[in-house]
Amino acid sequence: MHILLVEDDDRIAAALRPALHRHGMTTSRLATGRGAVDHLGGVDVVLLDLGLPDIDGVDVCRAIREVSDVPVIVVSARGEVDDRILGLHSGADDYLVKPYDIGELVARVHAVYRRRGVGGRGPGAAGGGDAGSADAASGVVVVDGISVDLHRHIVTVGDRPVTLTRKEFQVLALLAGSGGAVCTRNRIVAEVWGRSWAGANRTLDVHVATLRTKLGRADLVQTVRGVGYRLGLPEGVAPEGG
Ligand code: CA
């Protein structure tokens, strides 16, 4: 596994690289955000420091997301909570707060790498069930004019394609695969992020807010207070068998 380390602090990089090598990984390092998108070839996971001298790490993350699906773990200094949320919002897969334990880092690296492999087949495809108007053969779910292609990861509203981050897509796919049924917060966090943590609910809310904005349909993803989220059914259409 090859790790691209985007880190301006020489001491951190010097300590981190041999530690990662001991865990069987190879590394390359950039001390600036500039050029990060040009060095993604052969990279399995990007470890991205948010506090870079030239470009804000969040912007680097967005730039990476525009060209690549490579897993990104954002690293920020302690207390930069808003930065962490912003990092996830910008398409990062996970975050770590400095100073972190190397064992924790290695575990997270393996986790995001593994999830990318699994997520590539579409989270709704494995456990989506038969709800909604899903076409099992094509893997396309259509809800109220919004089409979600679970296999090809393509979302369209009417004829308009919508670009979602991988996490945003996974949340939407999970909801779409459940038809009109409620998905609990715990289930969404567990299936999309693979684990829970103190800020999970806030992160989920941020992703849902972005989804609503990108889909241009604030009413489609409905909040079920205290429980979770569901996809709203079109007006006047009753759930099948209900
Ligand atoms: Ca830094």
Side-chain angles (χ1 to χ4, degrees):
M1 192 185 307
H2 187 78
I3 312 297
L4 172 61
L5 186 60
V6 185
E7 171 63 70
D8 61 308
D9 190 318
D10 289 337
R11 283 185 311 166
I12 290 176
L16 205 48
R17 297 186 73 176
L20 292 172
H21 298 166
R22 277 197 296 278
H23 284 83
M25 300 170 183
T26 53
T27 60
S28 50
R29 181 217 173 183
L30 288 171
T32 62
R34 195 185 322 279
V37 293
D38 300 321
H39 289 79
L40 298 175
V43 171
D44 295 306
V45 176
V46 177
L47 198 57
L48 175 64
D49 182 28
L50 279 187
L52 295 166
D54 57 340
I55 309 173
D56 191 287
V58 169
D59 293 326
V60 175
C61 189
R62 286 205 183 94
I64 289 173
R65 268 297 158 267
E66 283 179 12
V67 300
S68 170
D69 222 23
V70 66
V72 176
I73 299 177
V74 154
V75 180
S76 69
R78 186 168 293 282
E80 295 175 337
V81 173
D82 289 344
D83 280 353
R84 279 187 270 157
I85 296 296
L86 213 53
L88 292 166
H89 203 170
S90 64
D93 294 84
D94 204 351
Y95 66 84
L96 274 171
V97 178
K98 290 179 183 175
Y100 50 80
D101 176 71
I102 186 71
E104 174 75 4
L105 170 62
V106 169
R108 302 281 189 96
V109 165
H110 281 297
V112 297
Y113 181 68
R114 206 166 46 234
R115 285 210 300 275
R116 180 181 64 158
V118 173
R121 303 183 66 89
D130 56 5
S133 54
D135 178 330
S138 68
V140 177
V141 180
V142 180
V143 182
D144 199 13
I146 294 181
S147 162
V148 184
D149 187 327
L150 299 173
H151 296 329
R152 294 193 298 156
H153 283 210
I154 295 171
V155 176
T156 53
V157 178
D159 292 331
R160 177 175 65 94
V162 178
T163 304
L164 301 179
T165 66
R166 190 164 58 249
K167 294 290 182 227
E168 287 159 8
F169 179 85
Q170 288 176 354
V171 171
L172 179 61
L174 192 58
L175 295 173
S178 302
V182 178
C183 287
T184 65
R185 290 175 160 278
N186 286 347
R187 181 183 164 207
I188 299 172
V189 168
E191 294 204 14
V192 173
W193 281 270
R195 65 193 178 84
S196 192
W197 71 99
N201 277 336
R202 170 100 192 272
T203 299
L204 174 58
D205 289 342
V206 169
H207 280 72
V208 168
T210 314
L211 260 179
R212 285 168 171 156
T213 304
K214 286 186 175 179
L215 295 173
R217 293 277 305 278
D219 61 331
L220 186 77
V221 181
Q222 297 177 347
T223 304
V224 181
R225 195 170 292 278
V227 182
Y229 293 102
R230 66 191 287 275
L231 279 198
L233 291 170
E235 271 182 43
V237 176
E240 267 182 54

